[in-house]
Amino acid sequence: MKIACIGGGPAGLYFAISMKLRDPAHEIEIFERNPPGVTFGWGVVFSDQTVENITKNDPVSAEAITDELAHWDDIDVHVHGETITSGGHGFIGIGRKRLLEILQNRARELGVTLHFGIECDPANPAWRNYDLVIASDGLNSRFRSATPEAFGVDVDVRKNKFVWLGTNKAFDAFTFAFEETEHGWIWAHAYRFAPDFSTFIVECSDEVWRAIGFDRMSQEESIAKCEQLFAKYLDGHKLQSNAAHLRGSAAWLNFPRVKCERWSSGNVILLGDAAHTAHFSIGSGTKLALEDAIKLAEVLNRDGLSLAAAMDEYVAERNLEVLKLQNSARNSTEWFETLERYLHFEPLQFAYSLLTRSQRISHENLRLRDREWLEGVERWFWKRATEGKSNKTAPPMFAPLKLRDMTVENRITVSPMAMYSAVDGVPNDFHFVHLGERALGGAGLVFTEMTCVSPEGRISPGCTGLWNDEQVAAWQRIVDFVHANSKAKICLQLGHSGAKGSTKLGWEGNDLPLDDGNWPVMSASDLAWSPVNQVPRAMTRADMDAVRDQFVAATRMAIDCGFDMVELHAAHGYLLSSFITPLQNKRTDDYGGSLENRLRYPLEVFAAMRAAWPSDRPMSVRISATDWAGEDGVTPDEAVQIGEAFAHEGADLIDVSAGQTWTDQQPVYGRMFQTPFSDRIRNEGRLATMAVGNIYEPDHANSILAAGRADLVALARPHLVDPMWTLRAAAQLDYRDIHIPPQYLNGMSQLARNLKREAEMAAALRV
Ligand SMILES: Cc1cc2nc3c(=O)[nH]c(=O)nc-3n(C[C@H](O)[C@H](O)[C@H](O)COP(=O)(O)OP(=O)(O)OC[C@H]3O[C@@H](n4cnc5c(N)ncnc54)[C@H](O)[C@@H]3O)c2cc1C
Ligand SMILES: Cc1cc2nc3c(=O)[nH]c(=O)nc-3n(C[C@H](O)[C@H](O)[C@H](O)COP(=O)(O)O)c2cc1C
């Protein structure tokens, strides 16, 4: 094949090498706009995995690269005058210039023709003379931008400013240095890539950048200012730019995240940064470029594969890899963009939060990297959780939490789950066994399902309720069992179904009206939940008074039942949620319109309940932190205000759920997918929160808690199939201090022994 590679960066060069290695008959020319030896940027980092991949592909260039790699293990985080060092991170770095030299030499050796100093124009008809034109022309690719619609290009220009500098100061560790100026925070990411050279990227928010005056400075002034701000880390070394061709503030950039729906059009194929970018803070751009190049060369040379089939395979495999990395990169980008949220953390927790920001590194992963450091974090967590009383080194999920006078033994909760199994609102033997069994399973806190404050407030005929003495007695029996046989605390979730009421049992169909015997429903406005549901009555003030009083009456009964805690359900599109979300609330009175108005009634109900509930017992509120409807619905930003408003009325915990507030929601699912909302409410609102949503491993829970993303972790579906989830986690993590019902002691010790033996065998096999 006759191939033109536009751009002699890592992608273009390595693709040319990989093609020639597979078939020396290919005619390949590389066109690079810069003269040889001129390049932007300083060092790049690789993982061991990337080195393994390039070694398999071309041992010759890999050997030249590995000979020059700088290795380091530690990460130093400097913040608030302290340095936190954690080890075991295993990075390798190389100068970009050196990497390109090695690749250029190797390409020449294999017969690739290299042209330098040629600015390629996509409109030039000469490109038609090539079988393939590889657009390896970097993130600002002209070949991609010439026909963006052909590639389905999506560019997201991020908020922060950064500049890529270098210095002769040799940093021994990967260094994150956070400095507070009179205008706000600015920080550096620094890493060594040669014996006497380090990359030094400076980053800050746009506001701080302008306030410091970088927008009005020449490049020399900018560098001098950075030298002054980071003087204590530079030991007298200068900072240098190699973007001398960029004038004034132009050397500062906003990172553009590039995504493409299609990676080829006609004879043009996108490769490397031209096809996708991943934020520099996870250091994966060069890795992706090299791995793209290997895969593309492999499919283009596979016998019997048509060009179309080769492209399909290239895109399918690489796109998946890229999406995974872009996901992590987005988490990392956002962490730096919302840095202010974490600056109140103590340095150790701040460093933990930084290290786990992309969610690729978890608690147990940190233990593998640096056990001693992680155990220091665990001791710190326990000390804080016990107001200095405990010196324990143990996983955060087993640390207690005090809310008012209630102390939960550990941080795992059984999330509220409707069981649709009550008759006339009375919990029965099913609920007794179901809740009792989950309390025996070791969770620190067990929630009841949404228990309704009136017969009309039920979702289905099978929902539990609390409006009469029979129900009080039935709940009392359950609460007494939990208290007598476990250390778990039990929280009653109270709610009213609103427009989502009068529907079938959960397993008979979601939100479908009853075949017969429907009762009238009410909501904030007269909007049916869906075309098949009833049109509710828009609540009058008299309705609002009546329902508020029902909530208060149920709260008083909860005292008689002996509950430790009460939660108000103001999420998921039910009655109180229908006031909060603008998608369901179309009122024009004092209870509709602004967020303040939409919150007025739910807050009134909560305040009335709080007044009725003993002041030494805690209360929480479950909210939907987003409607998954963009700006048209509740946004995560508003969720912070919602959390703050309830906290102002005496809520001790915000239970942060999301969505289910309208039928066309577009949730973004994934592991721990709702935890970012909890993180935001907790750390922007400085409130205690509970995270929930696809959290299913002890490692998830420990990572969330240690990183300060929530104070409690709720699991719903995992508890449906495993009531003993917490005890099993204790066995797995070899934590012995949890309350085990004496009847189950034998089983626990056997499980712990077996798990330990399995772990030892797995470790032996790894060796
Ligand atoms: C601040 C910062 C830090 C980074 N840190 C890392 C890191 O630690 N690790 C890592 O792996 N990656 C890092 N990257 C990303 C990395 O630089 C890129 O992802 C990687 O270089 C992509 O390779 P590429 O060949 O696709 O693009 P590039 O390296 O951008 O190469 C494109 C080439 O095309 C040439 N070109 C462009 N247009 C034309 C044209 N019209 N005609 C002729 N030539 C043209 C350019 O001059 C350039 O040489 C970082 C990026 C930034 C901005
Ligand atoms: C069967 C079932 C019933 C549920 N009922 C309730 C409920 O009564 N009240 C509530 O707030 N959430 C309810 N939820 C939502 C869960 O509490 C939880 O927020 C959700 O399932 C996400 O957590 P998970 O991924 O751990 O399952 C229910 C979930 C399930 C699976």
Side-chain angles (χ1 to χ4, degrees):
M1 274 197 270
K2 188 170 152 67
I3 301 173
C5 294
I6 315 301
L13 286 164
Y14 204 63
F15 169 74
I17 293 169
S18 306
M19 285 297 280
K20 279 289 205 183
L21 282 170
R22 284 168 177 77
D23 184 354
H26 293 307
E27 285 174 46
I28 307 181
E29 288 174 86
I30 296 180
F31 298 89
E32 167 57 48
R33 62 154 70 117
N34 290 328
V38 173
T39 181
F40 70 89
W42 301 97
V44 294
V45 284
F46 289 150
S47 65
D48 292 341
Q49 181 63 50
T50 310
V51 173
E52 213 173 281
N53 293 343
I54 62 170
T55 306
K56 245 188 258 157
N57 186 57
D58 178 24
V60 177
S61 58
E63 195 183 328
I65 293 169
T66 42
D67 276 355
E68 309 238 359
L69 288 173
H71 292 248
W72 70 100
D73 236 22
D74 287 351
I75 293 186
D76 279 353
V77 181
H78 303 271
V79 66
H80 300 306
E82 276 189 45
T83 301
I84 307 292
T85 303
S86 75
H89 298 285
F91 289 100
I92 27 198
I94 184 169
R96 177 179 161 94
K97 214 170 181 165
R98 189 63 198 119
L99 174 70
L100 294 184
E101 273 166 19
I102 293 171
L103 297 181
Q104 285 164 8
N105 291 341
R106 179 68 174 144
R108 272 195 205 96
E109 194 179 290
L110 292 168
V112 176
T113 311
L114 282 89
H115 307 278
F116 288 95
I118 296 182
E119 171 71 44
C120 302
D121 180 352
N124 188 336
W127 305 121
R128 292 195 209 121
N129 301 332
Y130 292 86
D131 298 317
L132 291 179
V133 176
I134 306 298
S136 45
D137 50 347
L139 72 87
N140 295 317
S141 168
R142 284 182 69 187
F143 279 67
R144 182 191 67 220
S145 308
T147 51
E149 59 300 332
F151 298 107
V153 183
D154 171 21
V155 181
D156 177 15
V157 178
R158 304 304 311 194
K159 290 194 275 196
N160 281 356
K161 290 279 182 195
F162 74 96
V163 63
W164 201 356
L165 303 172
T167 173
N168 287 115
K169 158 86 199 246
F171 286 94
D172 289 334
F174 194 114
T175 298
F176 290 104
F178 295 86
E179 282 299 304
E180 187 172 18
T181 71
E182 56 181 313
H183 304 292
W185 287 79
I186 184 162
W187 55 97
H189 315 232
Y191 51 93
R192 185 165 58 83
F193 62 85
D196 58 350
F197 239 110
S198 301
T199 296
F200 198 92
I201 302 168
V202 180
E203 184 184 2
C204 61
S205 71
D206 191 67
E207 299 78 54
V208 170
W209 185 73
R210 284 174 204 287
I212 292 178
F214 284 124
D215 54 335
R216 303 180 293 283
M217 289 182 199
S218 68
Q219 207 177 128
E220 294 70 29
E221 287 166 338
S222 251
I223 290 177
K225 184 71 190 171
C226 289
E227 279 169 358
Q228 179 217 326
L229 291 171
F230 294 100
K232 66 175 177 230
Y233 306 100
L234 290 168
D235 298 334
H237 293 282
K238 296 250 154 243
L239 288 175
Q240 308 166 31
S241 164
N242 62 3
H245 57 292
L246 299 174
R247 294 275 148 254
S249 61
W252 287 89
L253 303 168
N254 289 76
F255 190 84
R257 195 275 291 122
V258 174
K259 247 188 206 171
C260 290
E261 267 173 54
R262 292 168 293 281
W263 294 20
S264 68
S265 165
N267 68 342
V268 178
I269 301 177
L270 303 181
L271 191 73
D273 270 14
H276 47 69
T277 57
H279 194 248
F280 60 85
S281 61
I282 64 160
S284 294
T286 306
K287 161 199 156 73
L288 287 177
L290 299 182
E291 290 172 358
D292 278 2
I294 298 174
K295 183 69 195 176
L296 183 59
E298 196 249 300
V299 294
L300 288 176
N301 287 285
R302 197 174 317 148
D303 279 344
L305 208 58
S306 68
L307 182 60
M311 282 315 300
D312 284 350
E313 188 171 330
Y314 164 61
V315 174
E317 185 180 309
R318 294 307 301 153
N319 209 12
L320 188 67
E321 200 51 37
V322 167
L323 284 178
K324 276 196 232 156
L325 258 170
Q326 283 187 330
N327 229 348
S328 303
R330 190 200 57 228
N331 295 334
S332 177
T333 315
E334 284 175 1
W335 192 90
F336 286 105
E337 286 174 352
T338 55
L339 181 80
E340 297 278 331
R341 205 186 275 171
Y342 309 105
L343 282 162
H344 68 283
F345 284 0
E346 287 178 41
L348 191 59
Q349 187 172 38
F350 180 84
Y352 184 101
S353 170
L354 170 61
L355 294 176
T356 54
R357 70 192 181 280
S358 75
Q359 289 180 36
R360 278 195 304 180
I361 296 180
S362 69
H363 196 74
E364 292 310 318
N365 207 264
L366 283 172
R367 198 188 304 280
L368 287 178
R369 288 168 191 239
D370 188 344
R371 170 175 286 271
E372 208 176 302
W373 186 79
L374 204 259
E375 288 180 353
V377 172
E378 294 189 336
R379 262 192 308 283
W380 169 87
F381 192 92
W382 273 82
K383 213 171 217 149
R384 275 197 109 216
T386 57
E387 288 162 358
K389 290 188 203 93
S390 170
N391 256 337
K392 214 184 252 185
T393 306
M397 61 177 274
F398 299 113
L401 177 74
K402 190 162 187 271
L403 295 170
R404 300 211 182 203
D405 281 358
M406 179 188 88
T407 300
V408 287
E409 198 204 16
N410 63 59
R411 307 288 180 115
I412 300 301
T413 73
V414 177
S415 199
M417 279 182 286
M419 291 290 110
Y420 307 102
S421 300
V423 177
D424 296 330
V426 185
N428 51 40
D429 283 354
F430 176 84
H431 302 88
F432 182 81
V433 173
H434 168 73
L435 292 168
E437 194 180 22
R438 275 143 194 87
L440 295 177
L445 183 60
V446 175
F447 277 73
T448 69
E449 65 193 80
M450 176 171 118
T451 296
C452 308
V453 295
S454 65
E456 321 72 61
R458 287 175 302 165
I459 306 168
S460 75
C463 289
T464 54
L466 192 49
W467 61 81
N468 64 33
D469 290 347
E470 195 186 350
Q471 292 156 347
V472 171
W475 280 120
Q476 214 168 32
R477 176 169 169 250
I478 294 170
V479 172
D480 286 350
F481 175 86
V482 169
H483 286 158
N485 293 282
S486 78
K487 285 268 169 71
K489 300 288 188 261
I490 179 161
C491 175
L492 171 72
Q493 187 188 56
L494 283 176
H496 187 298
S497 55
K500 290 173 89 173
S502 187
T503 58
K504 294 184 176 179
L505 308 187
W507 51 85
E508 291 174 348
N510 245 351
D511 303 323
L512 294 180
L514 299 172
D515 291 333
D516 45 61
N518 281 296
W519 59 84
V521 298
M522 57 184 162
S523 185
S525 298
D526 53 358
L527 284 182
W529 171 247
S530 83
V532 302
N533 295 91
Q534 297 179 52
V535 175
R537 182 171 82 242
M539 284 177 91
T540 62
R541 186 57 241 188
D543 290 329
M544 287 157 77
D545 288 346
V547 169
R548 180 202 55 216
D549 293 348
Q550 288 165 353
F551 271 99
V552 171
T555 306
R556 292 214 175 93
M557 290 182 211
I559 306 172
D560 300 333
C561 302
F563 282 105
D564 301 294
M565 178 173 165
V566 165
E567 171 164 287
L568 175 64
H569 195 340
H572 301 171
Y574 297 117
L575 186 78
L576 297 175
S577 166
S578 77
F579 276 84
I580 299 173
T581 169
L583 300 172
Q584 304 294 346
N585 183 341
K586 303 293 173 195
R587 297 177 76 104
T588 50
D589 59 4
D590 287 353
Y591 302 96
S594 66
L595 178 62
E596 189 188 355
N597 281 358
R598 286 182 277 127
L599 270 173
R600 197 179 306 281
Y601 182 58
L603 287 176
E604 178 187 324
V605 171
F606 183 83
M609 290 166 72
R610 183 68 266 183
W613 185 240
S615 62
D616 57 350
R617 290 189 217 176
M619 282 186 70
S620 61
V621 184
R622 177 164 268 207
I623 64 167
S624 287
T626 171
D627 288 329
W628 301 116
E631 295 296 315
D632 294 340
V634 167
T635 61
D637 185 37
E638 281 182 333
V640 179
Q641 299 171 48
I642 296 169
E644 285 170 338
F646 280 110
H648 187 256
E649 296 299 338
D652 305 288
L653 181 82
I654 308 300
D655 174 358
V656 187
S657 187
Q660 300 175 51
T661 49
W662 63 309
T663 47
D664 285 339
Q665 63 172 1
Q666 301 293 328
V668 183
Y669 284 118
R671 253 177 334 138
M672 306 181 267
F673 72 112
Q674 294 172 164
T675 302
F677 307 122
S678 159
D679 181 341
R680 184 160 185 178
I681 293 171
R682 181 179 192 272
N683 295 312
E684 284 183 14
R686 307 284 174 89
L687 305 171
T689 61
M690 179 160 84
V692 65
N694 214 13
I695 300 166
Y696 51 89
E697 286 182 3
D699 200 20
H700 299 161
N702 286 322
S703 306
I704 291 170
L705 294 164
R709 308 181 82 207
D711 298 274
L712 286 176
V713 172
L715 289 81
R717 287 163 297 176
H719 273 121
L720 283 183
V721 288
D722 187 359
M724 302 284 153
W725 191 92
T726 308
L727 286 188
R728 188 186 299 279
Q732 201 177 319
L733 296 169
D734 204 15
Y735 180 73
R736 301 295 170 90
D737 237 2
I738 191 164
H739 172 76
I740 303 164
Q743 299 87 337
Y744 298 165
L745 272 169
N746 271 338
M748 264 299 276
S749 39
Q750 192 208 21
L751 178 61
R753 260 197 317 275
N754 287 344
L755 288 172
K756 204 168 179 177
R757 201 171 310 131
E758 275 171 26
E760 282 163 5
M761 274 165 61
L765 282 176
R766 272 201 299 276
V767 171

